[in-house]
Structure formats: structure tokens, C-alpha cells
Amino acid sequence: ESDLTNIFRDLWDTNNIINVNILTYSNTTTPSLLLYTYFPFTPTHCGKIEPVIWNSFESGHFVHAKQFFPPKTDNLFGCSVSLLVAPYQPYIFITGNNSDGSYSFDGMEYVLLDEISKRINFTLNISIYWDQSIGSLYYENKSAGGAFGMVSL
């Protein structure tokens, strides 16, 4: 893998940092600077880090009139967003069991999440946190226990 991929992946994996550009020098037939970024959500992948040339700088100006930081979360292309909930009325509560083993939900926070998921096109992957007596722990090796340990991104 390229150094660019590793840098972008580190930023994404560590803190979900999305607005990143890297400027590199290209000594081809026409020397230029290449501006790379990445798009973690596309019609073909979710969370995959692939550097793309977003623009280039040649002869004293950028070749394309593009934003330096393009929108990357306006459309998540149906990608899954994991959410761990502790049912608590009136915020979020279970309204039924579905035949596939999933649950139906309602409540103020659920209605808001459902609307956001429709507007920016993502799929909610909801897990239920039944045992609220267990705390949430982060360990030195960057793993987690309790509620945070139950959610896989």
C-alpha cells in the first residue's frame, strides 16, 4: 500500500478524520503538485480508504476550480452506521419484534435518527444494550469493554 493510503487510513481509523488533503510533487513530463484526498463513502464502498487525485497545481494555478474540502458526508450511499441503544422512554423504546430477529423502535431520539438516516442515506444498525449496570471501559490497547466494546464499527 502507498504512504498516502496509510496516512489516510491512520486518520480515518484513529479519529474518523475526513477532511484531509495531501499535496505531493509529481516530476512527470509537466512538473506539478497533485492534491490527494479520499472519500470513505461512495456508491461502491463503505469506509474503504482509496486516495484520489482531487486537483493538480500547474503553471502557477490549480487546474480545476474545485473546493479544497469537498462534501463527504452529504450522502453515505446506504452504508451502515452502528448504534448501541439502551431503551429508555420517551427517547427510544422497542415497539415490536420482527420475524428476522430485529426490533422495531420508536421515541423522540429514534424518530430523529431515522430522519437523519433518510436525509443522508445511511442504514441504522441498532444493537440493544440490555445490561446497563456494566460501565463502559477503554483499555490501553485501544480496545473497549462494556457498552463501547459491544459496538463494532
Side-chain angles (χ1 to χ4, degrees):
E1 291 188 344
S2 73
D3 289 340
L4 289 172
T5 302
N6 290 332
I7 292 168
F8 287 140
R9 181 176 291 113
D10 285 346
L11 292 166
W12 173 252
D13 289 346
T14 304
N15 292 307
N16 290 359
I17 297 173
I18 295 175
N19 284 327
V20 179
N21 293 329
I22 297 175
L23 196 61
T24 64
Y25 178 71
S26 174
N27 192 11
T28 55
T29 54
T30 306
S32 64
L33 297 172
L34 301 176
L35 183 68
Y36 286 87
T37 192
Y38 73 99
F39 295 86
F41 308 105
T42 73
T44 60
H45 67 258
C46 298
K48 186 174 181 183
I49 307 306
E50 293 181 353
V52 295
I53 297 173
W54 182 243
N55 210 338
S56 61
F57 191 84
E58 299 174 12
S59 305
H61 66 279
F62 280 99
V63 174
H64 305 285
K66 293 182 173 181
Q67 296 177 335
F68 280 116
F69 296 104
K72 297 180 181 181
T73 57
D74 290 353
N75 186 346
L76 300 189
F77 299 97
C79 293
S80 179
V81 173
S82 295
L83 182 68
L84 182 65
V85 300
Y88 190 77
Q89 286 191 8
Y91 307 108
I92 189 164
F93 53 94
I94 298 168
T95 59
N97 298 334
N98 300 321
S99 60
D100 64 358
S102 65
Y103 297 94
S104 298
F105 296 93
D106 201 355
M108 296 183 316
E109 290 180 356
Y110 176 76
V111 170
L112 178 63
L113 284 167
D114 188 53
E115 185 61 30
I116 293 169
S117 75
K118 290 174 185 169
R119 292 197 184 216
I120 62 174
N121 188 21
F122 66 84
T123 304
L124 281 170
N125 178 20
I126 299 177
S127 298
I128 300 171
Y129 185 50
W130 295 108
D131 186 2
Q132 297 176 26
S133 65
I134 300 173
S136 298
L137 308 168
Y138 281 115
Y139 303 110
E140 287 183 27
N141 67 0
K142 296 185 180 180
S143 66
F148 292 120
M150 293 177 64
V151 179
S152 61
L153 300 176

